[in-house]
């Protein structure tokens, strides 16, 4: 294996950096910029629709005697991964310990 000189390493590094440069501002290769803008717009519109659907569902649950905040908490817990679940349980255990020490929790 050939050992490169400092000049060769620098030249190789500069070639890599030059090849990895992002396009200049205003660069629009084959409509990529327009495509990204359209995709972001579509996702933003979908997110707004989901927010509206969520509000309507909360109203429906409330009108049927359920607590939407409690339901949202259940959903949030169901969606937790193991790491988040463990952190939440640890926090709850500390909170219970403190409350018990203060005589708040029986």
């Amino acid at each position: 294996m050939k050992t490169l000189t400092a000049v060769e390493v620098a030249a190789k590094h500069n070639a890599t950096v030059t090849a990895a440069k992002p396009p200049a501002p205003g660069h629009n290769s084959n409509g990529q910029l327009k495509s990204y803008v359209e995709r972001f717009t579509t996702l933003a519109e979908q997110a707004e629709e989901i927010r509206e659907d969520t509000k309507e569902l909360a109203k429906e649950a409330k009108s049927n005697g359920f607590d939407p905040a409690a339901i949202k908490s259940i959903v949030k817990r169901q969606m937790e991964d193991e790491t988040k679940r463990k952190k939440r349980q640890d926090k709850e255990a500390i909170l219970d310990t403190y409350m018990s020490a203060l005589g708040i929790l029986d």
Side-chain angles (χ1 to χ4, degrees), residues 42-56:
T42 299
L43 290 172
E45 289 168 349
Q46 290 172 351
E48 181 60 31
E49 289 174 14
I50 290 170
R51 279 190 292 278
E52 290 299 319
D53 289 348
T54 302
K55 286 179 187 178
E56 288 300 316

Side-chain angles (χ1 to χ4, degrees), residues 25-101:
H27 171 74
N28 188 10
S29 176
N30 298 323
Q32 282 181 321
L33 177 59
K34 183 178 179 182
S35 174
Y36 284 127
V37 169
E38 289 171 351
R39 289 167 58 194
F40 273 106
T41 301
T42 299
L43 290 172
E45 289 168 349
Q46 290 172 351
E48 181 60 31
E49 289 174 14
I50 290 170
R51 279 190 292 278
E52 290 299 319
D53 289 348
T54 302
K55 286 179 187 178
E56 288 300 316
L57 184 59
K59 287 179 186 177
E60 182 182 334
K62 188 172 185 171
S63 71
N64 284 300
F66 294 100
D67 183 342
I71 294 171
K72 289 177 186 179
S73 292
I74 292 168
V75 171
K76 185 177 178 181
R77 284 184 180 204
Q78 285 180 326
M79 295 177 71
E80 289 176 339
D81 63 17
E82 191 59 36
T83 302
K84 284 185 179 181
R85 182 175 293 115
K86 177 75 172 117
K87 285 181 181 180
R88 179 184 48 80
Q89 290 170 340
D90 289 347
K91 284 182 180 181
E92 289 174 354
I94 292 169
L95 181 62
D96 288 346
T97 301
Y98 289 176
M99 291 176 68
S100 180

Side-chain angles (χ1 to χ4, degrees), residues 14-30:
N14 287 338
T16 304
V17 171
T18 303
K21 271 188 182 174
H27 171 74
N28 188 10
S29 176
N30 298 323

